[in-house]
Amino acid sequence: MKFKLSLLAAIAATALTATAAKADIAVATAGPITGQYATFGEQMKKGIEQAVKDINAAGGVLGQKLKLEVGDDACDPKQAVAVANQLAKAGVKFVAGHFCSGSSIPASQVYAEEGMLQISPASTNPKLTEQGLKNVFRVCGRDDQQGAIAGKYLLDNYKGKNVAILHDKSAYGKGLADETQKALNAGGQKEAIYEAYTAGEKDYSALVSKLKQANIDVVYVGGYHTEAGLIARQMKDQGMKAPIVSGDALVTNEYWAITGDAGENTMMTFGPDPREKPTAKKVVEDFRKAGYEPEGYTLYTYAALQAWAEAVKKAGSTDVAKVSDVLRKGDYDTVIGKIGFDAKGDVTSPAYVWYKWTNGQYAEVK
């Protein structure tokens, strides 16, 4: 009887070992799945879901399938840390996240401590990759690059005019506004108004009245599409014709849903539209067949997982130190094109171009 029990135990142990060897590799995305920026959370979720599906269909990674976890930080720094800890407990090896820089930066400390690799599709605040963490990367550009372009645009088109610079106090919004201000000032022009506003409010009429009284010719907004849209609409309500200029957080059709024709001629910086790249053709077609338009950061999230998966294959391991080292060597073919990373974890060839809202659509300015 004892022999039979021992034999059964041995068989069970062997089965468990075999199962463990074939276990799925846990990967995740983390971002604002709920809250006022949920449109971007959906972009990230859709992007990584498709990437996991496609990678698994092609055989997975190191002979193992990828298993997806989704974390909702609602763009709140404290919630982001809680989500990061939850993902660590779930055994996640890689996180495509977060969206808001104010979430990515504190969460990155958890990932560093827990041996998890982080590639943000969207967090542009320079501090994220200036912390000296070897496990942190991003596939988007930085606010100091984006702000330099915005400052030049303001100098070229509004020299000697009344420029207002607004921000929402967030790591992303203030960082972008400050970099734009720096570039504007370096070009010899001082802004007429530099003002903070509170995200999440509905009534910005007092702020708009201040802009109107100062005869503002153009308003640069460091912040997200919800507040920028409300400010644009309330500016029109008060008879202001000054256009809005902003950054990549306005890359969503929700902006126009808020502004209506008040959003006409809004300008924003973002990378060249990845949907138009030959490398994204099949994936874009798959999304559209499923009834989803992969705008904004959908393909950036897909690319983040692609880069990690290829680095894991080259490293022959999911070990964060090995994969981080490999990521910094060579280039990776992704849906957003060929990308590489520098010593800090930033993409080696970031690019920003201008987009303009016209008749309810945004398109790259050629």
Side-chain angles (χ1 to χ4, degrees):
M1 186 67 177
K2 284 182 179 178
F3 173 75
K4 285 183 178 179
L5 287 171
S6 297
L7 182 61
L8 287 169
I11 291 170
T14 302
L16 282 171
T17 302
T19 302
K22 297 284 187 180
D24 295 334
I25 300 173
V27 298
T29 191
I33 305 303
T34 61
Q36 62 179 330
Y37 308 131
T39 185
F40 295 111
E42 181 184 36
Q43 291 174 9
M44 294 169 70
K45 184 170 178 285
K46 292 284 189 181
I48 200 167
E49 282 175 345
Q50 188 66 41
V52 166
K53 179 182 175 182
D54 291 345
I55 290 170
N56 282 344
V61 177
L62 302 181
Q64 297 168 268
K65 298 292 187 181
L66 300 181
K67 177 187 174 185
L68 180 61
E69 302 282 342
V70 178
D72 179 15
D73 66 21
C75 270
D76 176 80
K78 290 182 181 178
Q79 194 164 321
V81 170
V83 164
N85 281 304
Q86 288 167 8
L87 296 178
K89 287 178 184 176
V92 167
K93 299 294 184 183
F94 164 78
V95 180
H98 296 225
F99 174 72
C100 291
S101 295
S103 292
S104 274
I105 293 168
S108 67
Q109 297 291 334
V110 177
Y111 301 137
E113 291 167 9
E114 297 293 341
M116 301 158 68
L117 197 138
Q118 175 188 12
I119 302 181
S120 174
S123 293
T124 52
N125 189 291
K127 184 180 176 182
L128 177 63
T129 50
E130 296 285 348
Q131 301 174 94
L133 302 176
K134 295 297 182 184
N135 65 309
V136 177
F137 300 80
R138 61 176 136 213
V139 291
C140 57
R142 296 165 40 132
D143 290 335
D144 44 2
Q145 298 155 346
Q146 199 168 188
I149 291 169
K152 183 179 184 306
Y153 175 84
L154 294 173
L155 284 166
D156 289 346
N157 293 278
Y158 294 94
K159 194 166 187 65
K161 301 286 187 179
N162 293 326
V163 177
I165 298 177
L166 311 178
H167 70 81
D168 64 358
K169 309 174 194 172
S170 71
Y172 164 71
K174 187 175 188 304
L176 190 53
D178 287 350
E179 292 295 342
T180 300
Q181 179 192 39
K182 189 188 300 181
L184 181 71
N185 295 167
Q189 183 159 338
K190 172 75 174 162
E191 68 280 0
I193 289 178
Y194 177 91
E195 188 93 10
Y197 60 86
T198 301
E201 292 185 352
K202 301 298 181 188
D203 184 3
Y204 295 103
S205 57
L207 172 60
V208 171
S209 294
K210 185 174 181 178
L211 298 175
K212 185 177 181 181
Q213 197 168 26
N215 294 314
I216 294 300
D217 296 297
V218 62
V219 180
Y220 186 85
V221 179
Y224 295 92
H225 71 287
T226 45
E227 290 79 16
L230 289 171
I231 290 169
R233 201 171 74 198
Q234 290 168 28
M235 282 169 58
K236 184 181 180 186
D237 289 344
Q238 290 197 35
M240 284 190 69
K241 294 183 179 179
I244 296 279
V245 179
S246 192
D248 54 305
L250 269 61
V251 185
T252 167
N253 290 324
E254 273 197 10
Y255 176 71
W256 192 270
I258 295 168
T259 64
D261 61 6
E264 188 75 11
N265 296 325
T266 293
M267 299 287 290
M268 59 188 178
T269 42
F270 188 53
D273 194 338
R275 292 174 294 183
E276 297 180 4
K277 292 182 179 288
T279 49
K281 188 173 186 295
K282 185 183 182 304
V283 175
V284 170
E285 286 174 355
D286 289 342
F287 272 117
R288 288 173 176 166
K289 283 176 187 174
Y292 183 75
E293 183 58 38
E295 66 167 347
Y297 286 100
T298 307
L299 296 176
Y300 281 80
T301 310
Y302 189 111
L305 184 62
Q306 268 186 310
W308 172 82
E310 288 305 309
V312 168
K313 291 174 187 176
K314 286 184 181 180
S317 168
T318 58
D319 177 76
V320 67
K322 292 178 181 177
V323 180
S324 296
D325 186 51
V326 168
L327 273 173
R328 288 181 169 85
K329 298 173 182 176
D331 295 319
Y332 295 87
D333 292 317
T334 75
V335 290
I336 63 172
K338 193 178 288 290
I339 59 174
F341 300 95
D342 64 17
K344 292 179 180 178
D346 290 314
V347 284
T348 51
S349 55
Y352 280 104
V353 294
W354 284 103
Y355 287 76
K356 185 176 183 178
W357 280 96
T358 308
N359 296 326
Q361 300 290 326
Y362 64 85
E364 186 177 334
V365 178
K366 301 292 186 180

